[in-house]
Every structure is written in structure tokens, then in C-alpha cells.
Amino acid sequence: MSTGTNSTILELRGIRKSYPGVIALKGVDIDIKPCEIMGLVGENGAGKSTLMKIMIGLQKPDEGTLVLRGETLSLDGPQAAIRRGIGMVFQEGCMIPNLSVMDNMFLGHEDEFRRFGFLRRGLMRSVAGEQLATVGLGKLDPAVVTGSLSAAQKQMIEIARLLWLSKRYGVENPILILDEPTTVLQEGETRIFFGLLAELKKRASIVFISHRLEEVVSLSDRIVVLKDGNFMAELSGKEATVKGIERLMVGHELAEEHYRESMQVEGADEIALEVAGLGLANKFSGFDLKLRKGEIVSLVGLLGSGKEEVCKCLTGAEKSDEGTIVVEGKPVRFASPKDAIARSIGCIPIDRRNEGLATSLDVSENINLLVLDKMRFLGFLDPRKEKANAQQWIRECLVKTPGLRTPCSTLSGGNQQKVVIAKWLAAAARILVLDHPTRGIDVGAKDEIYRRIRELAAAGLSLLVMCDTLEEDIGLCNRMIVMKDGKVTKEIACPKEAKPTALDVIGYIV
């Protein structure tokens, strides 16, 4: 199959797509060129996901055309897209964890390795090894179970699979679409990943979708900005700036004080949560905390420092081995999340789709999930109460949704997160544990989440947070508790008048 012209591999012209109550794309024009990394950015709801689904055949446009290598393209599904050299690595991943690496790589294409009806696993292993070497995983055993690997390794395996499929179908310079690939990566893994992408673009076109604008600017040759289903601009990666992209995405200049420090309030004298000598075998020990009403405290540390397990013990997901927990003056013991909920402790989990929401339910049902007993009249659920409560918290949390009965699975990441927050506020939670509350959320939605966190603290809620970056932790909190190897190494005050820098903190972490 030919590679087409030197200037463009795929042209998208006048792409329009509507869903009930929403126009997702309003006549978008985009070109994808050979051997480049094209950054694609926009707020949640800007149309990025819809555009990508059209490119890989999951959706058909209502209007517009796709021209691939000079030929008008009509796709009737993802397999048709793969046969034409267009594939996508989804944010959630598509690997089956209990299968081996080579079984995942060649899933659905095992006939390529059959002879006289028998599967030649030795050949599979050899070919898989060759493909893994092309993405920097030459030392990985293709027979290892995929579930035992890191997120970074799984992503590269998916890329290796797409490259193999393109080669199988005779496609040179395939198009690889990467959806938020660095969200699940640690800093060291991200640097390695970017190095591999720089090599891959010599033989593939990469569409890089991310809310981490610093990464987009540093990595991309070109950057395309979408807003409200419209094409806003195309920028050179060399000339683009984070602030310039933010202005195009949001439609206005964001506040200089990105984390809304001016809204920071001092906590009250009253203690909402007191923890003494808390411990969990082989994870952490001797953890102490006094969390005041209206205070924001950040837990800071590397992966494995114990901070995640602390939060699990405080929300009932893990049962601590030692220590005491006192909530609003009353000693408690948590055997399950239900016990923590009963003490008005809520959790905004890192995986909002699988742990924070029932995505098969609609917006109203999710918001009312924890307060159904209050929605009853004569023993039956009262639709009027359900509607009134959902409408109240949709307004309060600025949830953008076509309607109360819109499935949560169709909302953008930022609006899903707002529904999770609304659910806990509807349940009158007084203590909230927020696990990376802005992960995978665009800059405009982050600004709204920061505002909401500040308002919750001002209203007297107590917040324990873990953030994506040190800058975010420092910008949001009243004080930081730093952990390393399961122990608290430092407590650092973060008054709004004199915030510490990341350099002031990093020495206590590593």
C-alpha cells in the first residue's frame, strides 16, 4: 500500500457529529502528516474523543469526509481502520491481564502462526520478541503474563501490536493515536516513553492526546486545539506556549494564581480527624495526623511511600493493624468503606470511572446513590425528591450534562469528577479524601475543581489530598505531610503568603 503524498496521510474535512442534546463536532478540518507527533488538545467535551472514535471506525460522522493516502475512506469498525494502518492505544488499555504478552499481541490473528492446524508457539514467541525490540522491550519475555507488567510496558506492547498489524497489512507509516498515555506513568517511565516516541515517529505518525500541556509542548511537532467541537488553531510545537494553549482552550486568560491561593482559608481550631500511631504491616507505621475543620492537608511521597495505604485505611478500603482513628471526638474502627461512610468520610478515588461512579447509571442516579433513604415517601422512592436533589448538586458543582438521565459513561472526565464530588456533598460528607482529583482533567475543568476544593474548605469540610505534582500539592494545601518508606519524614506549612517551592520539599521525599 502506498504512503500517499509527503504532506498529508489523512485528511479530515468538515467532520460533524451530534448526539442527543449535544453537537460534539461542528465541521472540523484536520490533517495528519507523515513522521510527526501531532498534539491534540482541548477541554473535556471539546470533541477530541469523538474525533478519534471517527478516525478508528467506532463512530461514523454525520457529515464530512476522511481521505486516507489520497482515497476517500469509509470505515465500518476498528478492524477496518487497523487494516488501513490506523490504530489507537486507549487510556484504560486493552490488554487481557491473564494472557501472555505474545497471546495479547496476536489475539485474533493466531491463524498467521498455524501450520497443518497446529499453533506454532515458538514462531509466535520469536515474532513477538522481534516486535517488542522495536519499542524498547527487547529483553522482555513474550511468554510472561501481561498482568504482571507495569503500565508503561503494557502501553508499549499495545504499540508493538499496532505496528505488527500495520506491517501485516502492508501499511507504511501507520497512524498511532495515543490517548492520555502518561496519566498512569511515573516520571522516570515518562522520560523513557518520550524517548521511544521520538524514535517511533521516524516510521509512524503519532497523535498525542494529553491534558498535560507541558508535555504536549515539549513533545509535539504540531499542536491542534479544539474548543466546543470547533477547530480553534494549529500551532507549531516550537512556538507554542502553555499559556497560549490554555487561552485558546478555555477562551479566556486563566487566573495567574493557578491554584486559587487567594481563596485559601485557615482551618478552625476544632479537630475533625485525629489519627495516632496508625500502621499497616509492610506498608507504613507510626502515622499521626490532626486534621482540622476547614483545612486542606496534602499527603506527599513517591509511589510506595505508604501514602496511598494511609488513605485506604482512613476510608475503610484497608483495615489498619495498629493505631487509633478519632472522628469528631469519637473513636472509630473501619472494617469496610461502609463504616467510613457512616462517619461522614467520603473518598474521591483516582479511578473515578471504575471506583467513583456507577457508569451504567445516569447522572441523577449517581448523585443520589448514597442518599436513597432520604428520597423515599411511604417506603417508595419519590421521583420529585430525586430530581430536586440532583438538580441542586448539578448547579452547585457546575456539572455540564445534557440532562439528569444522561448516562455518566458519556460525560467528559471533568464532568464525571464533578458528579463524584456532587455525590459526596449530597451525602453530607464532612471529611473528604481526594486521590489525585485532577488526573486526566483538562485545564478549564481543573480550574473549576480547584475553586470547588477551596469553597469546600471555606464551608468547613476537612480535606486530605494527594495530587499529581508537587506544585499542585503546594498550591492547594495549608500544610504537607511528607512520607518516605512508610514513615513521615517532614511536616511543612504552606501559608498562602509564603508557599514553599518544590525544591524545598523534594529532599524529604527521595
Side-chain angles (χ1 to χ4, degrees):
M1 189 175 291
S2 68
T3 58
T5 68
N6 290 326
S7 59
T8 302
I9 290 180
L10 178 64
E11 303 172 41
L12 296 94
R13 294 287 178 261
I15 304 298
R16 298 181 65 87
K17 183 67 179 180
S18 298
Y19 302 101
V22 178
I23 302 176
L25 294 170
K26 303 172 183 177
V28 170
D29 295 342
I30 290 179
D31 292 338
I32 295 176
K33 300 176 181 179
C35 300
E36 70 161 3
I37 299 176
M38 188 193 84
L40 182 63
V41 299
E43 291 188 272
N44 286 314
K48 304 186 302 296
S49 295
T50 301
L51 192 65
M52 294 307 101
K53 288 175 182 176
I54 288 172
M55 285 177 59
I56 63 171
L58 275 176
Q59 299 277 352
K60 288 187 176 292
D62 298 332
E63 296 179 26
T65 58
L66 285 75
V67 179
L68 179 67
R69 300 177 176 92
E71 299 177 7
T72 300
L73 184 65
S74 179
L75 299 173
D76 56 8
Q79 286 301 318
I82 286 173
R83 286 194 294 271
R84 302 301 297 270
I86 306 172
M88 183 169 179
V89 178
F90 291 89
Q91 182 178 350
E92 297 84 2
C94 295
M95 296 281 101
I96 300 175
N98 61 337
L99 293 184
S100 70
V101 169
M102 61 185 184
D103 286 330
N104 268 299
M105 284 185 63
F106 306 128
L107 190 64
H109 299 275
E110 292 84 356
D111 286 348
E112 292 288 313
F113 302 94
R114 293 189 189 279
R115 187 175 184 184
F116 305 123
F118 295 97
L119 190 62
R120 295 185 290 174
R121 298 193 65 80
L123 179 60
M124 285 179 66
R125 187 169 186 155
S126 174
V127 174
E130 292 173 4
Q131 287 302 123
L132 291 172
T134 67
V135 294
L137 297 179
K139 295 181 180 180
L140 181 66
D141 183 357
V144 73
V145 175
T146 308
S148 65
L149 302 178
S150 70
Q153 289 172 315
K154 292 174 185 175
Q155 284 190 340
M156 297 316 297
I157 292 165
E158 291 200 57
I159 291 173
R161 169 183 164 83
L162 292 175
L163 291 173
W164 176 78
L165 286 168
S166 296
K167 182 178 178 182
R168 177 181 182 272
Y169 291 118
V171 178
E172 298 176 29
N173 203 116
I175 298 169
L176 306 178
I177 304 167
L178 307 181
D179 182 21
E180 298 286 352
T182 62
T183 298
V184 294
L185 303 185
Q186 301 301 309
E187 184 176 347
E189 292 177 324
T190 297
R191 287 197 297 270
I192 295 170
F193 183 67
F194 282 2
L196 290 168
L197 291 187
E199 287 297 312
L200 280 176
K201 80 169 185 176
K202 296 175 182 178
R203 52 199 172 93
S205 299
I206 298 168
V207 180
F208 182 76
I209 305 170
S210 179
H211 291 309
R212 297 179 176 179
L213 298 183
E214 294 85 358
E215 294 179 353
V216 175
V217 169
S218 68
L219 188 67
S220 303
D221 299 296
R222 283 188 304 134
I223 300 167
V224 171
V225 184
L226 298 181
K227 176 176 170 56
D228 297 331
N230 292 300
F231 172 89
M232 291 296 292
E234 178 181 303
L235 310 170
S236 164
K238 293 179 180 179
E239 299 173 355
T241 65
V242 170
K243 282 195 172 295
I245 295 172
E246 287 178 346
R247 188 164 53 248
L248 288 166
M249 286 171 56
V250 180
H252 59 81
E253 197 79 49
L254 290 173
E256 281 297 315
E257 39 138 9
H258 191 51
Y259 304 108
R260 295 183 176 265
E261 288 96 330
S262 64
M263 294 176 65
Q264 181 172 317
V265 297
E266 288 299 314
D269 293 333
E270 189 176 354
I271 302 297
L273 174 69
E274 183 170 359
V275 181
L278 200 68
L280 182 64
N282 302 317
K283 299 297 182 181
F284 71 92
S285 62
F287 182 83
D288 298 333
L289 169 68
K290 289 184 179 179
L291 180 62
R292 296 177 294 161
K293 290 191 173 181
E295 185 180 30
I296 303 172
V297 171
S298 278
L299 270 185
V300 178
L302 298 175
L303 190 68
S305 64
K307 62 176 184 173
E308 289 87 0
E309 288 76 17
V310 167
C311 289
K312 287 179 180 179
C313 288
L314 295 179
T315 55
E318 294 272 7
K319 188 176 181 180
S320 59
D321 298 321
E322 57 185 5
T324 59
I325 301 173
V326 178
V327 178
E328 297 179 333
K330 297 180 180 179
V332 297
R333 292 188 66 83
F334 298 149
S336 70
K338 185 177 180 181
D339 297 332
I341 292 170
R343 300 303 307 172
S344 298
I345 298 178
C347 177
I348 313 256
I350 188 171
D351 186 352
R352 58 181 169 267
R353 287 184 64 88
N354 294 316
E355 298 176 16
L357 290 170
T359 52
S360 60
L361 301 182
D362 61 39
V363 172
S364 176
E365 289 168 328
N366 269 281
I367 291 174
N368 292 321
L369 202 56
L370 300 177
V371 291
L372 290 177
D373 287 345
K374 298 178 181 179
M375 303 289 110
R376 298 187 184 279
F377 180 72
L378 299 177
F380 297 96
L381 286 175
D382 186 338
R384 292 171 300 177
K385 290 184 178 180
E386 289 184 280
K387 181 179 180 180
N389 190 61
Q391 286 177 328
Q392 175 190 344
W393 292 110
I394 285 171
R395 288 193 301 270
E396 288 278 340
C397 296
L398 302 179
V399 179
K400 296 177 183 177
T401 174
L404 295 176
R405 297 303 175 187
T406 299
C408 275
S409 59
T410 66
L411 297 182
S412 66
N415 284 301
Q416 287 179 345
Q417 191 72 308
K418 293 176 193 177
V419 172
V420 177
I421 293 172
K423 176 183 71 175
W424 286 109
L425 297 182
R430 295 188 292 275
I431 299 168
L432 276 180
V433 177
L434 299 98
D435 187 354
H436 297 81
T438 61
R439 176 160 292 186
I441 292 176
D442 67 76
V443 64
K446 280 183 180 180
D447 194 57
E448 293 179 10
I449 296 293
Y450 296 147
R451 176 192 61 79
R452 192 60 186 160
I453 287 173
R454 294 295 188 196
E455 290 173 347
L456 294 176
L461 271 74
S462 305
L463 308 173
L464 185 65
V465 303
M466 294 186 292
C467 296
D468 275 356
T469 66
L470 268 178
E471 288 78 10
E472 192 175 17
D473 283 303
I474 293 167
L476 275 176
C477 73
N478 297 89
R479 57 192 171 100
M480 309 170 72
I481 294 178
V482 184
M483 296 189 69
K484 178 182 177 181
D485 299 329
K487 298 281 188 180
V488 174
T489 59
K490 187 70 173 178
E491 182 174 316
I492 302 173
C494 296
K496 62 182 175 183
E497 300 84 7
K499 294 278 187 180
T501 67
L503 287 176
D504 297 326
V505 180
I506 196 70
Y508 300 105
I509 295 175
V510 299

